[in-house]
Amino acid sequence: MRLWELLLDTMATIKPKPPMTPAQSRREAGKRAKINQRIRDTQAGCAKKVADLRSKM
């Protein structure tokens, strides 16, 4: 096996992450909840703008 083949084989290896602690899991869940809420708020705002524009037509 050539050196560059060996390097390519080791570069493609993905190491698994260690399991999260309960505190890390709670923080991650909180972050995801905030992001999802911001997405919902943005989508609702865009839908309202579209509805307003359509009502003016």
Side-chain angles (χ1 to χ4, degrees):
M1 184 177 279
R2 294 183 179 144
L3 178 61
W4 62 273
E5 291 174 337
L6 182 62
L7 288 173
L8 287 176
D9 286 345
T10 56
M11 287 174 54
T13 304
I14 299 173
K15 295 180 183 177
K17 292 182 179 181
M20 289 192 278
T21 64
Q24 289 173 327
S25 295
R26 283 191 295 275
R27 281 194 300 271
E28 186 68 26
K31 287 179 189 177
R32 288 177 192 243
K34 287 180 185 177
I35 290 170
N36 287 334
Q37 184 62 46
R38 286 176 48 199
I39 290 171
R40 283 192 302 273
D41 292 346
T42 303
Q43 288 174 337
C46 290
K48 184 177 179 182
K49 286 180 185 178
V50 170
D52 289 343
L53 291 173
R54 284 188 178 158
S55 68
K56 293 179 182 179
M57 293 176 88

